[in-house]
Amino acid sequence: MNDVEKPDLKNGVPLASFPVGGKLVGVAEGEEVLLLRRGTAFFAVGAYCTHYHGPLADGLVVGDEVRCPWHHACFSLRTGEALRAPALDPVSCWRVEQVGDKIFVRDKLTPSAPKRATNAPSSVVIVGGGAAGLAAADMLRRDGYDGPLTIVSADDSPPVDRPNLSKDYLAGTAPEDWIPLRSPDYYRERRIDLAVRSRVSSLDTKRKKITLENGKTMEFGALLLATGAYPVHLTIEDATASQIHYLRTFADSKAIITKAAYAKRVVVVGASFIGLEVAASLRARGIVVDVVAPNKQPLERVMGAEVGEFIRKLHESHGVTFHLGETIRRVHDRTVTLSGGTTLDADFLVLGVGVRPSLALAEQAGLAIDRGITVNEYLETSVAGIFAAGDAARWPDPHTGERIRVEHWVVAERQGQVAAKNILGRREKFDAVPFFWSQHYDVAINYVGHAEKWDEVEINGSLDARDCAVTYKKGGRALAVVTIFRDLQSLQVEADMEAQLASPRQRRLEAS
Ligand SMILES: Cc1cc2nc3c(=O)[nH]c(=O)nc-3n(C[C@H](O)[C@H](O)[C@H](O)COP(=O)(O)OP(=O)(O)OC[C@H]3O[C@@H](n4cnc5c(N)ncnc54)[C@H](O)[C@@H]3O)c2cc1C
Ligand code: FES
């Protein structure tokens, strides 16, 4: 439907046109508005998600929330508040009134002022200016914390939209001003002290104090460790540092773009999500790309052989050449020699061979560590008042019953949000279903749940037709579901997994 055809909701729409659960996109005061019916109640909110403009009309309504079909952000239908990342900003929300047999969208509601936090620490310091760190700072202010709030980040730049660094920005289709998550005004207005290029070198848990590499010290009432992860580095015989690129930061992405401007051929090492997204983005720039990886299929460990083969064929159809079952033996000038003896020509190499959680600070401070910073269900570490969130944290996942650590943007942000609430004493458990997405050319892959091992893969639909849901099961139980072009199903799977957790059986298990 184009703008001309959209009804003006201020003029009212007939009640008869609304089945229970019905949706309608119209306009009010020049803005596109989604009007929804739940039972006898009507709600009206902005029609597009504040993360990447996903169409909320194609999303899922769960209780009095609407969830975005693209990356599962969640908004309150009653207030418009962005309840769960990746959206951080609210959608507008409108008062709805029924008069006779018509429904009218009336005035826009003004967001209520944050309630003052009563159980607030004297100050909060967040170590890490990434997904978890920024989302935590944002939630602290939203949730009424008005004390001193500092983010200390080793990155060169303020918090950025890291997932975009391997996607549209690297491909040259997203402008640079899309990348910062927030403007300088945002930090000033919310009184968030942001120290970039500042690495914390030690943490004294008894004196509640951190020390930066530059010698500066800071005391804190509560601390959040959101130190993320760093790329695994490989030593490659004869390669010079300038030939090898990694991708984690804005600066890394810019460095690849600068080189790509003059490059004709690039070798990507690793068929991971990041490696493959880099391959796709460099292909968009017309560069010849070879991918070298030891696996039989790309992404096989995470998504199995079937999805791996689909991804390989997708990239091959865009001109990528794979050298699977191979590693790099050496790099001499422009010549890359593989373990099997094949030689490739390359202007430079991008290595995407995995990441490791950044644990140095937690280790030095003596916090409990188990392949990640150990946290409880409230995301609190082994020391009270010190929390951890994001790629660095390993938490007790109620869905699998295991302690897990993942590297997902949405999980990091949601953990940052929950940690913020717990810093304010709200005692909220982190029980979100893990979710991530990855983009390859025009194909988005959504993954809900967590399956490290599985004994059965069930494919509903067709990978080749790009219309499917792939379920990973263990002992007959669905642990995770990958969807391609089935966004609503992905949201439904997430909601179903949440509902299982809330089931009486699960509550009995928790109580026992
Ligand atoms: C190129 C790229 C693309 C990605 N695409 C996707 C995607 O499509 N979907 C998805 O789900 N996930 C994606 N991810 C993963 C996602 O970005 C991470 O899961 C997420 O950023 C983790 O957030 P975090 O806050 O834990 O860590 P980060 O965002 O890495 O932030 C960590 C912060 O801690 C700082 N830090 C570390 N140690 C110190 C210290 N000692 N002192 C001070 N500061 C410190 C770092 O400088 C950084 O600011 C992608 C990652 C990359 C690199
Ligand atoms: S566009 Fe809505 S969550 Fe990303």
Side-chain angles (χ1 to χ4, degrees), residues 48-56 67-75 84-87 410 435 437:
Y48 296 99
C49 175
T50 54
H51 177 229
Y52 263 85
H53 216 64
L56 295 180
R67 298 180 178 187
C68 177
W70 288 359
H71 317 112
H72 294 203
C74 175
F75 299 92
R84 289 200 291 184
V410 169
F435 166 78
W437 82 96

Side-chain angles (χ1 to χ4, degrees), residues 156-157 165 245-257:
D156 290 344
S157 59
L165 299 179
H245 286 260
Y246 295 91
L247 178 52
R248 184 77 191 179
T249 64
F250 199 8
D252 294 339
S253 190
K254 284 183 189 170
I256 296 173
I257 288 169

